[in-house]
Amino acid sequence: MVQKLPNREEVKVEETWNLADLFASEEDFTNILEEIEKEVQLFSEKYKGTINSPSLAAEALTDYSAIYEKLVPAGTYASLSLSTDQTNTTAQMRANKFSSLSAKISSELSFVTSELLELSDEVMVEAAKLAPNFQLYLDKLLKKKKYQLHPEVEKTLAAYSASFNAPYKLYNTTKMQDISFDNFDVDGKSHPLSYVSFENDWEAESDPALRRAAFDAFSSKLKEYQHTTAITYDMHIQMEKTTADIRGYDSVIDYLLFNQEVDRTLYNRQIDLIMNELAPHMRKYAKLLQKVHGLEKMTFADLKISLDPNYEPTISIEESKKYIDDALAIMGEEYLEMVERSYKERWIDFAQNTGKSTGAFCSSPYGNHPYILISWSSRMNEVFVLAHELGHAGHFYHANKEQTIFNARPSLYFIEAPSTMNEMLVANHLLKSSDDPKFKRWVIASIVARTYYHNFVTHLLEAAYQRKVYERVDQGLNVNAQILNDYKRSVLEEFWGDAVEISEGAELTWMRQPHYYMGLYPYTYSAGLTISTQVAKRILNEGQVAVDEWTNVLKAGGTKSPVELAKMAGVDITTEEPLRDTIAYIGSLIDELISLTEEIEQ
């Protein structure tokens, strides 16, 4: 039974994260903002118009990075405190205050980039010798040189950065504050509905009448806000297009791929191969679900149900720790120490409450420990979700210790590899722990439905839809709710074919995903999982050698491109082979599910 969510102040403190590790009090937070503002002013007075030699460039970069090392935890504090309760007016104002300050600082410090790019290549090389920690930063800066605008234009654009983030804020405000779901009725009984309860509970509800009624009620409410949300999204993508144009990129897609350090070949391959070659396997999986559940027809509202709803292990927060420890033990003592601290020191926000952001994420502020948000509902599959976020945590736990603030974060293309790696390790550990066919089927179904469905289907279909949107924007056109609905429905129908009826309301799923406000993010989930699938196989077959190589990849942070990082881990993503092999592996898992189901039913 889905219960009404409590308010934030009503949840157990031990199930919340401890933001005091960032700032012990509101006064400390306010003081650091004032301190940063003063430092920025002094920095500008000292360096503006003077960065004209290798020594001054090296000195300025050292002081510049020190400012950002203070700015990052402040921004994290403002963001995280809002993410746990977006109805909290104090948190809203704090986030707005930081956003305004950040824009002001970006504008004030924009001269650093402009003056560095006015230096000759020879001077830049000498500066890098004097400050080798900034070699990578300067190399990346040089690559951007042809897209750099006049210093005053750069300053103006930076000043508007808070406004450029406004569509995402508006999206979240609409989603988490303005949209209020009514209860829905089935057979005269009323049931509560919210974003969190729908995504955590109702989508996986085994009773088809309840599940489909929840889907209809959820979709009906989304539909009321489709036009506002579409205008918000159009505002965002038009700003991206304008930025791409004035900087001189050929297209908005090229602009968004630039910082990922990959070209369209890798981007298009990920979408096209999965749309064409994974679809038959997933249609087979959908038909298996339909058969097992005895459904007259398989609809979009049925795709998240468990293969065996009568065999759904539950688990407490405390119990989850043993599974995580055992599964990730292969990663070594330092990694397990990080996991231990995450539970013990309250790095994780487990609580379910009104106003909390949906889904799960990990924030890893430089110079501090990571923070993980999840809404724990005691389903065993949430061990996979938690392991995923701990993968992000472990990645930056290593990278932040080994690299400078400008070198720690890798390309977005690679960012989901360490997280999905942990899901693979959990799955492999669980498969070894029991010979029971029902448990084995549950584990494999969890891999297919949670790890691969989520990353290779849900997010990839978002990417296919997103590509259609950006191709339209590159033609100089806008979007509205009807166009977005049509694009989303066409992608769903293409992928699922006649195996799944695309229910009315399925086209509105574009409204649910914040990733659309984060550039070309959705396709990177499947890209990361392609890499981690191959590395997980290596770890299983080669043991410590592969683990050590993977740990070195984590420590490398953003010092190498995605292609180079994958190569360090023994995977060549310049070819189709890793992706084709991963798709074939998913197909083999689905075939095994069919075989196990037949064995259990005999």
Side-chain angles (χ1 to χ4, degrees), residues 18 116 163 304 557:
N18 180 20
L116 287 171
S163 299
K304 295 291 183 72

Side-chain angles (χ1 to χ4, degrees), residues 233 253 267-268 270-272 274-275 455-471 488 491 513 515-516 519-526:
Y233 182 43
I253 292 177
Y267 170 67
N268 287 327
Q270 208 68 29
I271 297 172
D272 293 336
I274 294 175
M275 285 294 292
N455 298 296
F456 259 73
V457 179
T458 298
H459 290 318
L460 197 281
L461 295 185
E462 291 165 0
Y465 151 85
Q466 188 182 41
R467 184 171 64 176
K468 286 178 179 286
V469 171
Y470 281 123
E471 286 172 348
K488 187 64 181 180
V491 167
Q513 187 50 265
H515 290 162
Y516 298 136
L520 297 175
Y521 190 13
Y523 90 103
T524 66
Y525 279 85
S526 63

Side-chain angles (χ1 to χ4, degrees), residues 418-568:
S419 53
T420 52
M421 164 61 77
N422 277 13
E423 293 188 53
M424 300 303 297
L425 295 178
V426 168
N428 290 329
H429 167 70
L430 291 175
L431 283 173
K432 290 178 182 177
S433 68
S434 174
D435 292 325
D436 177 19
K438 277 201 165 190
F439 183 74
K440 189 175 182 181
R441 183 174 72 164
W442 176 84
V443 173
I444 295 173
S446 295
I447 303 171
V448 171
R450 158 58 224 173
T451 302
Y452 285 108
Y453 184 99
H454 189 67
N455 298 296
F456 259 73
V457 179
T458 298
H459 290 318
L460 197 281
L461 295 185
E462 291 165 0
Y465 151 85
Q466 188 182 41
R467 184 171 64 176
K468 286 178 179 286
V469 171
Y470 281 123
E471 286 172 348
R472 180 180 177 86
V473 171
D474 267 330
Q475 294 171 24
L477 302 172
N478 292 73
V479 297
N480 60 25
Q482 187 59 56
I483 291 167
L484 296 176
N485 289 342
D486 290 345
Y487 280 173
K488 187 64 181 180
R489 176 168 284 276
S490 70
V491 167
L492 294 174
E493 289 176 343
E494 178 186 349
F495 186 83
W496 291 109
D498 60 4
V500 178
E501 178 184 298
I502 306 304
S503 322
E504 183 180 353
E507 70 279 359
L508 296 167
T509 52
W510 63 266
M511 294 176 64
R512 295 166 55 184
Q513 187 50 265
H515 290 162
Y516 298 136
Y517 297 84
M518 303 173 189
L520 297 175
Y521 190 13
Y523 90 103
T524 66
Y525 279 85
S526 63
L529 184 50
T530 299
I531 296 168
S532 60
T533 298
Q534 303 306 310
V535 178
K537 288 182 179 181
R538 284 198 62 213
I539 288 176
L540 284 174
N541 295 329
E542 302 172 35
Q544 194 61 45
V545 172
V547 171
D548 291 343
E549 289 181 1
W550 183 244
T551 302
N552 287 333
V553 169
L554 302 183
K555 290 178 177 179
T559 58
K560 297 183 182 300
S561 71
V563 170
E564 292 169 330
L565 288 171
K567 189 175 181 180
M568 282 177 67

